[in-house]
Amino acid sequence: IKEGDRVKKDQVVVLIDRDITGLDFKLAETTSPVEGIVVKVYLDKGAQVSEPSGGGGGTPLAQILNLDSVKIVIQVTEEDLPKVRLDQKAKIRVDAYPDREFYGVITLISPTLNSLARTASVEITIPNPNHLLKPGMFAEVDLVTGKTENLVLIPRHTILVEAGKKKVFVIREGMAEKRWVETGFSDKGLTYIKSGLAPLDSLVTSGQSQLQAGDKVRIVKGEER
């Protein structure tokens, strides 16, 4: 076999010749325990190998992976752990395919927490029929833990930081008014505002970094947002 070969379960992948002087042995067949793709061949033809003995492992011959599905392990905080469950859907993105989204489900939730980080490992299984996802890739995972209607979402760039707190400017009676806000998640350039803004507030989206509370503001071309 060579790297890149696809093999079936129980297919012969290596023949071992015991080759002891004075004795005639039949070639020993080593078969694959799984169906998959050969990703690594560890030995060249003619190399010596040893079998497992005394509880120790023998000589590794090849690495065979089944890439028809892959698993991602994420760390979920203690606070969010009650919000995740088995078979919950997840959306996955990887840098290699920025315009594609993959979907999987939670198949394992660790019963223990990391005592230092206060997180638990959660395993997500993703169908991978075209083998686009490779072992070792880093992924960004979205888990929907609940639904809320009438969210206030604003462009992330409109949020300013002052003395460690977050603020935005809104237009009130033609003047800039500073509002302290509490933010939540961010996605695709938008940030969820937990408190500090109402759905009908007119948000300043340009030049806000130059504003002071009380400055006169005008809406350009009627673009009120």
Side-chain angles (χ1 to χ4, degrees), residues 73-77 114 117 119-122:
V73 177
I74 63 174
Q75 301 299 319
V76 176
T77 63
N114 180 307
T119 59
S121 297
V122 173

Side-chain angles (χ1 to χ4, degrees), residues 59-130:
T59 304
L61 306 176
Q63 183 182 21
I64 298 172
L65 296 180
N66 187 328
L67 297 177
D68 293 338
S69 65
V70 294
K71 294 179 179 179
I72 294 177
V73 177
I74 63 174
Q75 301 299 319
V76 176
T77 63
E78 182 179 8
E79 178 185 0
D80 289 331
L81 196 58
K83 302 175 186 177
V84 300
R85 64 186 185 280
L86 292 176
D87 296 324
Q88 185 174 342
K89 292 182 179 180
K91 181 171 66 176
I92 297 95
R93 291 183 295 272
V94 294
D95 290 341
Y97 309 103
D99 298 325
R100 297 196 59 164
E101 293 179 344
F102 302 87
Y103 294 88
V105 296
I106 293 177
T107 49
L108 179 66
I109 301 174
S110 174
T112 61
L113 285 177
N114 180 307
S115 58
L116 295 178
R118 307 306 299 171
T119 59
S121 297
V122 173
E123 190 175 90
I124 298 168
T125 300
I126 310 161
N128 190 36
N130 298 319

Side-chain angles (χ1 to χ4, degrees), residues 210-222:
Q210 307 300 320
L211 285 179
Q212 298 292 329
D215 286 351
K216 291 184 178 181
V217 179
R218 63 187 180 89
I219 298 174
V220 179
K221 297 181 181 180

